[in-house]
Amino acid sequence: MTVQVETDPYTQRAHSRVVEATPERAVVEQPGLRELDNHLGIRHASALYTTMYAAAQALVRAAVGESASARLTASTTTYPYVPVGLITSVAEPAGGDWEALRGGAASPAELQVRVESANEDGRTVSTLDSTWRVEPLADG
């Protein structure tokens, strides 16, 4: 499934690219570009967050499709290791009402998403735990 998070201007600016997006997993890559680094020469936290957000959003969008709206309501991030080079962010369901979505979003639901971002060596450089509120779109 193609998910259009690339239309978000900041996601585009951070060079984040959706590689895979299914209801079970989403993968977003961000190249190691100097323009994404901070004053110390490592990836800026906002660039990392943008890529993790894009992965979480792609996962939720793939799960709910066009039948519902989804918005981020809470998130927690960690940055355990210095990020440089190509970063790959992988989002997966982490709890909440994911099973309720199998038949379509008939009522509001809360979805938890876990994103882990790793460098080219596979070392975790950042994580995002997020909660998304999903509501069915009004017929019209």
Side-chain angles (χ1 to χ4, degrees), residues 9-30:
Y10 200 73
T11 300
Q12 285 180 337
R13 176 77 177 127
H15 301 279
S16 299
R17 181 177 69 90
V18 177
V19 176
E20 172 187 342
T22 70
E24 292 79 33
R25 173 183 145 116
V27 178
V28 174
E29 289 182 343
Q30 185 180 68

Side-chain angles (χ1 to χ4, degrees), residues 6 16 20 25 34 49 52-53 55 58 70 74 89 94-95 99 103 105 115 123 125 136 140:
E6 291 91 354
S16 299
E20 172 187 342
R25 173 183 145 116
R34 195 176 160 106
Y49 183 87
M52 292 186 295
Y53 174 87
S89 296
E99 286 302 316
V115 181
R123 186 159 195 176
V125 297

Side-chain angles (χ1 to χ4, degrees), residues 6 18 54 61 78 87:
E6 291 91 354
V18 177
R61 271 278 139 240
T78 64
I87 302 297

Side-chain angles (χ1 to χ4, degrees), residues 63-122:
V64 302
E66 300 301 318
S67 66
S69 67
R71 67 181 171 86
L72 180 69
T73 60
S75 67
T76 303
T77 58
T78 64
Y79 303 96
Y81 188 72
V82 176
V84 294
L86 174 71
I87 302 297
T88 302
S89 296
V90 178
E92 296 179 329
D97 300 324
W98 286 94
E99 286 302 316
L101 290 180
R102 297 279 182 233
S107 61
E110 296 247 328
L111 306 177
Q112 277 83 48
V113 176
R114 172 75 173 182
V115 181
E116 290 194 19
S117 298
N119 64 12
E120 294 167 293
D121 295 331

Side-chain angles (χ1 to χ4, degrees), residues 38-56:
N38 65 17
H39 65 287
L40 299 174
I42 60 173
R43 191 68 44 89
H44 197 284
S46 66
L48 281 171
Y49 183 87
T50 298
T51 297
M52 292 186 295
Y53 174 87

